Amino acid sequence: MKKSHLKQKLSKVKDFKSPRVELEQYKTPPDLAADLSFSCHMQGHEKIVDLGTGTGILAIGAAFLGLDVTAVEIDRKALKTARENAESFDVDIDFVEADVTGFQGDFDAVIMNPPFNVQSDEGLKFWEKALEIGDNVYGVAGKGFRPRLKSLCEEYNHEIVACEAYTIGLPASYDFHTEASKETPVDVYVTQRKE
């Protein structure tokens, strides 16, 4: 499947019905989800996990590409939406309702768009778990996260192998948002476990 075709399919994934601000829930844009899933596939990873799957868009993208996908989510309502999305696309994903801190496993790769630590410190536990259980990590982070990620990589025997700047449009999802959409600069990091 071509990346443009994957992006088109992912544009039909349903959004959160009632996003939770404390979990910083936003739908990952389809182009970003397609890039992450496609990059993971092109590197030959087979067994992957999506931490904090939300609507399931990253997991669905990876499943479309034939990867063995586990998707972890703590929010029961979001998990229900993710399952419904997966069913509507007829893709096979192993969904797990859990806090990422207690989740265990060994994976070729982790894909994730975790909280950026704007409303909480939730995002750090995602990165710590990803570096612990994944040989490779494909993750989105807010600008300025590189020094912290570099420190975490040293702690978990990983190295940053790529970083690409993106600008994503975040829709007004919460009452305190004053604009219809806000262009937000982010970085997509790829890390790899050292030999």
Side-chain angles (χ1 to χ4, degrees):
M1 178 183 298
K2 291 184 178 178
K3 188 161 55 172
S4 59
H5 188 220
L6 180 60
K7 177 185 170 184
Q8 182 182 30
K9 281 184 169 287
L10 294 178
S11 70
K12 296 180 173 79
V13 170
K14 291 178 187 169
D15 202 351
F16 291 100
K17 291 178 180 141
S18 51
R20 290 174 54 187
V21 68
E22 72 275 16
L23 298 178
E24 296 185 41
Q25 292 176 329
Y26 296 91
K27 181 179 168 187
T28 303
D31 55 338
L32 178 56
D35 282 351
L36 281 170
S37 301
F38 204 78
S39 294
C40 200
H41 167 67
M42 293 304 290
Q43 291 302 313
H45 308 312
E46 295 177 3
K47 183 182 177 187
I48 69 155
V49 62
D50 175 9
L51 295 180
T53 196
T55 64
I57 193 167
L58 292 173
I60 291 166
F64 270 135
L65 297 169
L67 302 177
D68 177 7
V69 184
T70 300
V72 181
E73 177 58 53
I74 193 171
D75 180 21
R76 186 167 286 162
K77 288 182 181 177
L79 195 58
K80 183 176 186 274
T81 299
R83 283 187 171 120
E84 290 169 356
N85 279 326
E87 286 171 13
S88 72
F89 290 107
D90 195 29
V91 292
D92 186 28
I93 297 168
D94 179 21
F95 288 101
V96 178
E97 183 179 342
D99 185 315
V100 297
T101 57
F103 180 74
Q104 295 298 319
D106 292 303
F107 297 89
D108 297 335
V110 175
I111 56 174
M112 62 178 185
N113 183 6
F116 294 170
N117 298 321
V118 173
Q119 301 294 330
S120 70
D121 290 332
E122 283 288 300
L124 289 178
K125 69 182 183 182
F126 282 80
W127 282 99
E128 289 168 349
K129 181 55 70 172
L131 295 167
E132 175 191 327
I133 65 174
D135 291 333
N136 302 272
V137 178
Y138 298 75
V140 184
K143 288 292 182 184
F145 188 64
R146 189 180 187 102
R148 183 70 177 120
L149 180 56
K150 192 171 179 184
S151 174
L152 286 171
C153 282
E154 288 171 9
E155 186 178 339
Y156 287 92
N157 197 36
H158 270 248
E159 61 185 334
I160 298 170
V161 295
C163 177
E164 187 171 345
Y166 275 77
T167 300
I168 59 175
L170 294 179
S173 302
Y174 302 106
D175 292 340
F176 60 84
H177 287 155
T178 57
E179 302 171 41
S181 179
K182 182 178 179 184
E183 294 298 305
T184 304
V186 299
D187 288 320
V188 174
Y189 289 99
V190 180
T191 74
Q192 187 174 63
R193 193 178 306 283
K194 295 177 185 175
E195 294 288 326

